[in-house]
Amino acid sequence: VQAIVSELAPRNAQATYQAAFSIVFDMKDAVGPAIGTWLYAVSTALPWGTGVIASIVASGALAVATRRHEAGQNAKSENS
């Protein structure tokens, strides 16, 4: 997480991004089991289905952000 924040976050907002990641991880530990239990109570396949979709969306968003960041870095190095 620290590597992602230091690479992708704006320099003046890295502490804010790091705090946001910390809060999300704390919420994951507290809220995640409750939501998972509720989803499992609704349907045994629902937690797996939502997890797969959430993982695909998150990995796609991270890939897009990484490519944009790398393109910006390459443009800066070509202009120098």
Side-chain angles (χ1 to χ4, degrees):
V1 171
Q2 289 178 344
I4 292 170
V5 169
S6 65
E7 190 64 31
L8 297 178
R11 297 288 176 223
N12 60 346
Q14 287 184 352
T16 303
Y17 278 59
Q18 191 66 38
F21 271 114
S22 177
I23 290 170
V24 168
F25 283 129
D26 290 344
M27 287 178 63
K28 169 191 62 99
D29 293 338
V31 178
I35 292 173
T37 302
W38 176 77
L39 288 173
Y40 191 74
V42 172
S43 169
T44 56
L46 200 54
W48 293 101
T50 56
V52 167
I53 292 169
S55 297
I56 290 171
V57 169
S59 62
L62 185 57
V64 168
T66 303
R67 287 186 180 147
R68 285 183 183 166
H69 177 72
E70 288 175 353
Q73 293 293 340
N74 289 339
K76 284 181 185 177
S77 65
E78 289 176 2
N79 291 334
S80 297

